[in-house]
Amino acid sequence: THGRDAAQRAGGGGRLLIIDDERMARANLARALERGGHQSAQAGSGEEGLKLLAEQDIDVVITDIAMAGMNGMEVLKAVRSSKPDVEVIMVTGYPMIESAVEAMRLGAFHYLAKPYSLEEARILVARALEKRRLRQQVVQMRAQLEASGSVPEMVGASPAMGGLRQALMRLAPTDVAVLLQGETGTGKELAARTMHAQSQRARRRFLAINCGALSPELLESELFGHEQGAFSGAVRRKEGLFEAASGGTLFLDEIGEMPAGMQVKLLRVLQEQTLRRVGGTVDIPVDVRIIAATNRNLKEEVEAGRFRRDLYYRIAVVTQELPPLRSRVEDIP
């Protein structure tokens, strides 16, 4: 154990679990990775692999997709459910590349397509370990921020606030779009900042905009940016909030006030995951988590035709209600 820990500190070795029902394939891969300073455990089936995972401290799982009994996709789902911080690399033959791509959508780190070189496997494992270590550093930094009081604090010890905190902590590590609904003053932006501070995006920016406070033209420019000369007064290129918040979180406050024309443009960006600056012709990739808020009942707004149904389903993958103070009077000092 001492030798393993020393190797990890010095050279970045990790604890690997290799799952493959072909004994020779998993043994060869294990030997190659162990020569790189890693420790490995081996399993001949998905069921055996999950048992080892529960018993041991594992950094990266490498699993074949096509196995008798529990296949690799089932292993991936089980790992994501039981130990979401463990990275998973899928091994697949060429005919199953589409399955490997689907696995990445489900949370796999990447895939190795047979026949792969051992050097390719070493590089991929090193990248997976680096991602895991960066995540652990984020967790440590977040704990330090909490200890220093830098993370926004949601005040209240009532059951309603306890339930809200638990809900926000469940949602924080995901990238799911959240719609916060509550009356003015219930702390919707504070809830959004809390989720951001507890997310893997915490090291990037949290930016907010009130969608009802600007004209449609100014709102479009603020969100998507503009090119030089796009309109009168556009003397230089401007980066919008979507670009400025890249890798972080964008909080769209009072989204129920967004004009109809802007709803269409926002929907396109969320669907395509790209944007064009005002006056621009280049599609720019978008990587932000969307948290929206409204003091209206947005479902009723949809039924009344004042808010687009398709946009509603994009921003309200999960809806979270924020309780007013009158419903939790025990929180009043």
Side-chain angles (χ1 to χ4, degrees):
T1 302
H2 175 76
R4 181 194 69 190
D5 292 344
Q8 286 179 318
R9 287 193 299 272
R15 298 171 293 264
L16 315 178
L17 172 59
I18 301 171
I19 307 174
D20 197 324
D21 55 5
E22 294 184 18
R23 185 183 63 83
M24 190 62 69
R26 68 174 184 267
N28 288 340
L29 182 57
R31 278 196 299 271
L33 295 173
E34 286 170 0
R35 283 196 292 269
H38 305 294
Q39 297 288 318
S40 71
Q42 300 179 42
S45 68
E47 294 85 353
E48 181 186 355
L50 293 181
K51 185 173 183 295
L52 289 175
L53 182 67
E55 297 170 350
Q56 300 183 23
D57 188 11
I58 299 296
D59 296 312
V60 178
V61 171
I62 306 170
T63 180
D64 198 3
I65 288 185
M67 295 187 293
M70 176 180 278
N71 63 36
M73 298 293 280
E74 293 170 311
V75 169
L76 170 64
K77 292 174 183 176
V79 175
R80 294 264 63 81
S81 175
S82 63
K83 292 194 175 181
D85 60 326
V86 173
E87 297 297 341
V88 182
I89 296 172
M90 313 298 290
V91 179
T92 179
Y94 179 75
M96 297 187 70
I97 288 293
E98 288 186 4
S99 295
V101 174
E102 176 62 22
M104 291 178 66
R105 292 196 188 99
L106 295 174
F109 175 73
H110 217 292
Y111 64 89
L112 281 167
K114 298 177 182 177
Y116 59 85
S117 70
L118 295 177
E119 181 61 22
E120 183 181 1
R122 292 190 192 99
I123 291 171
L124 203 53
V125 166
R127 287 172 51 203
L129 285 169
E130 179 64 17
K131 180 181 177 183
R132 176 169 162 81
R133 290 185 183 116
L134 286 172
R135 184 188 300 116
Q136 291 171 335
Q137 288 175 11
V138 169
V139 171
Q140 292 169 358
M141 291 175 67
R142 187 181 303 142
Q144 292 170 0
L145 285 171
E146 288 174 342
S148 68
S150 298
V151 173
E153 180 184 0
M154 302 194 72
V155 177
S158 63
M161 286 302 293
L164 176 60
R165 285 193 191 91
Q166 291 178 8
L168 296 180
M169 291 307 100
R170 285 195 302 269
L171 293 169
T174 73
D175 265 350
V176 65
V178 179
L179 175 65
L180 301 172
Q181 291 197 149
E183 298 174 20
T184 299
T186 50
K188 296 186 289 294
E189 182 169 347
L190 179 57
R193 287 184 179 275
T194 298
M195 279 191 285
H196 173 75
Q198 298 294 329
S199 75
Q200 295 178 29
R201 295 176 175 264
R203 296 174 70 182
R204 297 299 184 93
R205 301 177 72 180
F206 174 96
L207 296 179
I209 188 169
N210 187 321
C211 298
L214 303 173
S215 68
E217 295 77 14
L218 187 53
L219 180 59
E220 182 179 9
S221 176
E222 286 296 308
L223 286 175
F224 309 142
H226 62 252
E227 297 291 347
Q228 181 177 357
F231 49 83
S232 178
V235 295
R236 63 179 181 273
R237 172 185 288 178
K238 177 188 174 183
E239 184 181 74
L241 293 181
F242 267 95
E243 291 180 79
S246 180
T249 302
L250 182 57
F251 177 56
L252 303 176
D253 198 8
E254 301 304 348
I255 196 166
E257 309 290 334
M258 180 175 281
M262 270 304 300
Q263 291 181 31
V264 175
K265 293 173 181 178
L266 176 61
L267 176 64
R268 178 193 172 277
V269 170
L270 298 182
Q271 285 177 331
E272 303 297 330
Q273 292 293 291
T274 61
L275 63 83
R276 288 186 183 181
R277 299 189 188 106
V278 178
T281 57
V282 177
D283 289 328
I284 301 169
V286 168
D287 175 25
V288 295
R289 186 202 186 161
I290 296 295
I291 301 177
T294 180
N295 59 10
R296 299 185 180 190
N297 184 319
L298 219 50
K299 273 192 175 179
E300 292 181 359
E301 295 295 302
V302 169
E303 295 304 322
R306 291 187 292 267
F307 196 86
R308 291 185 65 94
R309 187 180 301 273
D310 42 11
L311 178 57
Y312 172 77
Y313 287 118
R314 283 279 175 179
I315 63 169
V317 177
V318 175
T319 300
Q320 179 62 49
E321 295 285 339
L322 273 70
L325 188 57
R326 65 176 176 276
S327 72
R328 48 185 184 93
V329 293
E330 60 268 46
D331 286 333
I332 302 174

